Amino acid sequence: MIKLTEDIDLTGYTLIIPSVAVGNVGQLAVDLFISSLSAKRIGYVWDSAFIPIVGPDPYDENSSALCTAVDLFCSTDKRVLLIQIRSPLSKKPFLFFKKLQNFITEKHVAKVIILTSSYSHEKRDQQIRTIPLRYIASPEIKSEFGAMFDSLNWTHLESKIDEYGRSEVLAIPGGGFAKNLYDIFVENHIPCAVLLRFCSEGDNIPDAMELANYLNQWLELFSKDASGNLLIRKPSSWRFLFGNDPPLEMF
Amino acid sequence: MAQIFGEIVEPESRAFWDDDELDASQFQYQLRWSGDNVMPSSIKTFLIVEGSVVSDFTRMCSLGRGENEICIIEHGRFKASNIYKINNDLYTCLVSPDLDAKHSTEFIATLTDFLLNAEKIITLTCQHVSSYKSDVAPILPSFLQSLSTKSGKSPLNDVERVKQPNIVHGIAAGVMSYAEIFELSAVLYVLYVEEFLLDSETAMPLVKLFAAIPGSLLHDPVFKQSSFSSRVIDLYYNHLRTFK
């Protein structure tokens, strides 16, 4: 179930959704957008595919709001709808995909961007020599923004030969549900793109920064200061991303 | 790490939960009523207790004085969860420790009628203090923190709110999420403990909580001495200081 707590006209909005993937890069990038755009929570998703979690507001220490496993945020200024996923999947999220597809159609959302990551150890020779960011786009997105992607020197994800050696396929190893969701949207003529970064597990904040910046080249969501630097604000809840400081007693 | 020369070891990812076992089938729990019991039309307080430490405390200190087990939630071959009518004001659900977290949403779906009929929902869970993230290391061996939905009001006034980036997971978190989404009055309490064995000191936050829950019957708890307690170590160090 997707429940909106506010009645907002989402016609023409861009939906950004992360895929739970290696290094949680898509989720971290969405956190950067929510925090930097001061996006407002406008709803929740209740679905059995996600392990339930609850906690205080991750973006405002003084807020009494709760965060759940899957929340919806909105920036009316930028006309962007963001879905943040905070827990791993426990089941194949087919029902969630269906709900999301219906929601997008009912609310007349213009396009969907899926942010994900892929195992860096799966990179092939041609991918090793270039920047570790790739995109896939549906025909509708390609026709509207293809020239822009070319001017930004973006690289389309390279296809590879399938395991039987018969045909070329697009695959995102370690990319979670990104490719499945993309295929469903393409099949249903929902304009959709996947943006991904190759990475490994570790401190994935720099990867998230790069992925967010990659999307920003297209949508120009982040504001800039007087010197032209992007104003990217990390959420306050990132403070203990790698646990507490070591106890002083150990030194 | 490779065990033999040339072995390819795929790096693991923290992002996935049983990636190979993601189960597409829908799972359902069975609610089995005991005797003539039926779904109560209204419940003042519905208490859901999850985790061995707090469940054992509830069983020992709040149950066992004429309460009525009204139904069980069967988990197949695993231990069932039980729902008790403590009195007309309070119903308590003890969640089975065998419950698989990946079926949390289905478990909560089984409890839906209880949740919707309850004026007030209280969930209680327990986490080890090592999972607590804070600038300041906790001094107390056990302490409670809480979270409330918009309409939820804590019966205890002096309990701190859970601070970011701490989160709670499991059935207690699922019930809170459900209550927030469906605008129900709910409060979650999480007991952070140094060790998963309560004594008269570490149980004190629970004693205060149960005393504040309307309709809750609190017996005199009897605590068994822990075989390895942090306070035993403290005592040992105090002795050492005395001898120096």
Side-chain angles (χ1 to χ4, degrees), chain B residues 117-168:
Chain B
N117 289 348
E119 283 176 31
K120 190 182 290 179
I121 301 160
I122 297 176
T123 64
L124 174 62
T125 185
C126 184
Q127 288 191 7
H128 195 266
V129 76
S130 59
S131 68
Y132 181 72
K133 296 181 183 75
S134 169
D135 282 330
V136 186
I139 304 163
L140 297 169
S142 77
F143 56 96
L144 271 182
Q145 292 204 337
S146 74
L147 282 172
S148 310
T149 59
K150 279 189 199 82
S151 53
K153 194 171 182 311
S154 172
L156 274 177
N157 293 326
D158 57 345
V159 176
E160 269 190 52
R161 195 177 141 78
V162 176
K163 294 187 187 73
Q164 57 165 249
N166 295 290
I167 56 162
V168 180

Side-chain angles (χ1 to χ4, degrees), chain B residues 173-190:
Chain B
V175 169
M176 282 300 287
S177 304
Y178 185 88
E180 178 74 359
I181 293 167
F182 291 95
E183 297 169 16
L184 308 176
S185 167
V187 184
L188 173 143
Y189 293 98
V190 53

